[in-house]
Amino acid sequence: MTSAAATPTGPTPPNPARQLPLRERKKLRTRQALVDTALRLFTEQGFAETTLDQLVDEVEVSKRTFFRAFSSKEDVALAPEKELWDTYRRRIEAASLAGPLLDAYQDALIAAIADMSDGWEGRFLISRALADRTPALTAHSLQHCAEVTDAVVRTVVTRLPADSGIDELPARLLLELMVAAWRSALREWSATADDAAPTAAGRDREALRASVRAAFAALPDVATLVRA
């Protein structure tokens, strides 16, 4: 079984932002401005207390422009999380799936974290802090997690060779195991600096990847406890 810390193999999904025409790059900049402003306002004023009118006024765009990028306030508040898992899905779709499936799941997550845009880790931490204290965001996040899980399992089951011996149940259980390791790593990473400093030293991108690798490395020992 290969190490989960190994560099992912197989084709790398293209980063759309690098090859987009000017008009599309402008849309991405507007989207980023909406995310940054929303996270600031939601943190300063509260999620429920911040209106959509206030958000679009701050960014100087119309509601129509907002709804081209996001479906709701919940959607923009959880944008950093959704960006990660959308990239994860692309990584899984591009992976060879030739080796152990758990390794493919793990390698795709390590790679997806690296694929995130500059400053993503700070935005992600702010978004997670908001979700942790906002029931509406917690529910939205859980629903999104379930949707991503279903989509990834469908992709994997469709693409795996018929003689792989893996059907939907083991594919789903392995993915849930990976997600559990991710959540453990995220708790450790987010606890390494004061809550008031979401981009402080210790919360950088490589620290997150290191925490994820450590959690993945513990999985074989945990698995032995099942039959202990």
Side-chain angles (χ1 to χ4, degrees), residues 10 22 44 51 55 60 64 68 93 95 135 146 148 184 187 192 197 210:
L22 177 60
E44 292 174 352
T51 66
L55 173 57
E60 297 183 333
R64 182 177 181 181
R68 288 193 186 113
E93 290 166 359
V148 171
S184 177
R187 283 194 298 270
T192 57

Side-chain angles (χ1 to χ4, degrees), residues 8 17 53 76 84-85 96 99 103 114 125-126 146 148 153 161 169 184 186 191 199 207 214 222 225-227:
D53 284 333
V76 69
L84 175 65
W85 295 111
S96 67
D103 283 356
L125 281 164
I126 295 170
V148 171
V153 170
L169 179 59
S184 177
L186 185 58
T199 59
V222 171
L225 298 176
V226 175
R227 298 183 182 276

Side-chain angles (χ1 to χ4, degrees), residues 9-226:
T9 57
T12 300
N15 182 344
R18 296 175 182 172
Q19 301 178 3
L20 289 175
L22 177 60
R23 181 178 179 181
E24 296 303 314
R25 293 200 301 272
K26 287 181 176 179
K27 288 182 180 178
L28 283 178
R29 285 196 293 270
T30 299
R31 175 186 171 89
Q32 192 58 64
L34 285 165
V35 172
D36 290 340
T37 304
L39 292 176
R40 175 176 59 82
L41 292 174
F42 295 159
T43 299
E44 292 174 352
Q45 302 176 173
F47 177 76
E49 291 76 13
T50 302
T51 66
L52 183 56
D53 284 333
Q54 183 180 7
L55 173 57
V56 296
D57 284 347
E58 286 262 353
V59 184
E60 297 183 333
V61 298
S62 66
K63 283 187 178 179
R64 182 177 181 181
T65 296
F66 174 87
F67 284 115
R68 288 193 186 113
F70 303 101
S71 62
S72 63
K73 284 170 55 181
E74 289 83 0
D75 194 24
V76 69
L78 295 175
E81 176 180 309
K82 292 189 173 186
E83 289 164 8
L84 175 65
W85 295 111
D86 285 348
T87 302
Y88 180 78
R89 287 176 59 179
R90 290 197 298 272
R91 279 282 179 176
I92 289 293
E93 290 166 359
S96 67
L97 302 182
L101 182 55
L102 184 57
D103 283 356
Y105 284 156
Q106 295 170 356
D107 290 345
L109 181 55
I110 292 287
I113 294 169
D115 288 343
M116 293 295 95
S117 60
D118 291 344
W120 167 84
E121 54 270 31
R123 295 188 294 272
F124 178 76
L125 281 164
I126 295 170
S127 176
R128 287 311 312 160
L130 283 167
D132 287 344
R133 62 176 183 265
T134 309
L137 293 180
T138 299
H140 195 88
S141 177
L142 290 172
Q143 178 62 33
H144 180 251
C145 181
E147 292 169 357
V148 171
T149 296
D150 289 344
V152 169
V153 170
R154 283 195 302 270
T155 296
V156 167
V157 170
T158 300
R159 293 189 56 225
L160 281 173
D163 61 356
S164 67
I166 298 178
D167 57 19
E168 181 174 345
L169 179 59
R172 185 176 296 275
L173 290 175
L174 285 172
L175 183 57
E176 295 287 358
L177 184 61
M178 187 278 295
V179 171
W182 156 251
R183 288 172 176 163
S184 177
L186 185 58
R187 283 194 298 270
E188 178 181 345
W189 176 60
S190 62
T192 57
D194 186 84
D195 288 342
T199 59
R203 289 190 169 191
D204 60 273
R205 189 83 55 90
E206 189 51 44
L208 174 58
R209 283 158 58 89
S211 292
V212 171
R213 291 187 183 101
F216 290 163
L219 289 179
D221 290 338
V222 171
T224 64
L225 298 176
V226 175

